[in-house]
């Protein structure tokens, strides 16, 4: 395959990967952030101790994290079809990507929140701050660098997940590598795809690290 033939396929696959990762990251933060907050708030010694609910949420998170992504994609095919009306294509892959990443990100958020100095929280409570105010004005701002680092790690993981999504016709760089690089024995396509994935990961990791460092210096 010549470069003129490969370039359009590569650009399209890169765009599809970006769309999948972008939407999945947005939905992961929307669902994973409150889940991570709940794991901390509902824990024993938390702002609103509900140990039973916390245990249930913890089990769900652990189950979600324990499933290999390729197994998860297949297991929730009926749910994916219910949500987007199809199980093939870029839009369909966003569903398992989000389902797989939410528990992962929630644990990262939980870890970041637990690293917040308890004295800061207690000082806010002593000044009469309610639970909601403590979460929004103390816990989340103080844990923001760690949360940003968690988002970065999650985005990198999502990029890896999209590569596996190619096995079910999800599109993107993984699909390109499988259909052309592996099935058609186009070694050059495989190498270029791997290089592009590495470059994307390096860029995302560097940007995330930079933002986390700047936030931590505030």
């Amino acid at each position: 395959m010549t470069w003129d033939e490969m370039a359009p396929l590569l650009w399209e696959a890169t765009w599809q990967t970006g769309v999948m990762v972008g939407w999945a990251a947005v939905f992961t933060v929307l669902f994973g952030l409150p889940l991570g907050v709940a794991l901390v708030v509902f824990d024993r010694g938390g702002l609103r101790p509900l140990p039973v609910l916390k245990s249930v949420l913890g089990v769900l998170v652990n189950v979600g994290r324990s499933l290999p992504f390729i197994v998860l994609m297949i297991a929730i095919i009926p749910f994916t079809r219910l949500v987007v009306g199809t199980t093939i294509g870029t839009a369909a892959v966003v569903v398992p990507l989000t389902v797989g990443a939410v528990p992962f990100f929630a644990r990262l958020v939980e870890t970041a929140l637990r690293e917040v100095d308890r004295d800061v929280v207690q000082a806010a409570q002593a000044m009469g701050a309610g639970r909601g105010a403590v979460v929004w004005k103390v816990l989340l701002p103080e844990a923001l660098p760690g949360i940003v680092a968690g988002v970065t790690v999650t985005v990198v993981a999502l990029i890896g997940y999209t590569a596996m999504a190619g096995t079910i016709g999800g599109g993107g760089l993984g699909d390109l590598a499988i259909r052309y690089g592996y099935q058609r024995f186009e070694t050059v396509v495989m190498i270029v795809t791997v290089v592009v994935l590495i470059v994307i990961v390096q860029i995302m990791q560097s940007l995330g690290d930079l933002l986390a460092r700047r936030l931590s210096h505030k």
Side-chain angles (χ1 to χ4, degrees):
M1 179 181 292
T2 65
W3 172 252
D4 289 339
E5 295 172 323
M6 183 170 54
L9 296 173
L10 186 63
W11 284 117
E12 181 181 9
T14 303
W15 170 255
Q16 290 173 340
T17 294
V19 170
M20 287 187 285
V21 172
W23 280 112
V26 169
F27 290 129
T28 296
V29 172
L30 287 177
F31 294 114
L33 183 61
L35 179 56
V37 171
L39 290 171
V40 174
V41 171
F42 296 150
D43 198 7
R44 286 185 174 86
L47 296 173
R48 180 69 170 89
L50 292 172
V52 175
L53 179 56
K54 193 271 180 182
S55 296
V56 172
L57 293 176
V59 169
L60 292 175
V61 168
N62 290 337
V63 170
R65 292 178 63 203
S66 65
L67 290 176
F69 180 67
I70 195 166
V71 174
L72 177 67
M73 283 193 300
I74 298 171
I76 67 169
I77 280 177
F79 178 68
T80 301
R81 185 181 290 112
L82 177 66
V83 173
V84 297
T86 182
T87 59
I88 299 175
T90 301
V93 172
V94 173
V95 176
L97 283 174
T98 302
V99 173
V102 164
F104 178 76
F105 179 63
R107 283 299 186 195
L108 295 177
V109 172
E110 180 189 14
T111 300
L113 292 174
R114 291 192 186 282
E115 291 177 354
V116 175
D117 192 342
R118 286 290 301 175
D119 292 339
V120 177
V121 175
Q122 291 172 352
Q125 291 176 315
M127 289 186 290
R131 287 190 291 264
V134 171
V135 170
W136 286 104
K137 297 183 179 181
V138 179
L139 281 177
L140 290 177
E142 290 292 324
L144 191 56
I147 293 174
V148 169
V151 171
T152 303
V153 172
T154 303
V155 168
V156 170
L158 284 170
I159 294 171
Y161 290 167
T162 62
M164 288 184 279
T167 60
I168 62 168
L173 291 167
D175 182 57
L176 179 64
I178 291 170
R179 285 194 296 117
Y180 289 88
Y182 176 72
Q183 294 178 348
R184 301 187 185 184
F185 303 101
E186 294 281 358
T187 305
V188 175
V189 175
M190 181 69 76
I191 293 173
V192 171
T193 302
V194 170
V195 170
V196 172
L197 284 170
I198 292 173
V199 170
I200 293 174
V201 167
Q202 290 297 322
I203 291 173
M204 296 307 301
Q205 187 67 59
S206 298
L207 290 175
D209 291 346
L210 177 61
L211 180 57
R213 285 197 301 269
R214 290 195 173 185
L215 289 172
S216 66
H217 291 159
K218 288 186 177 181

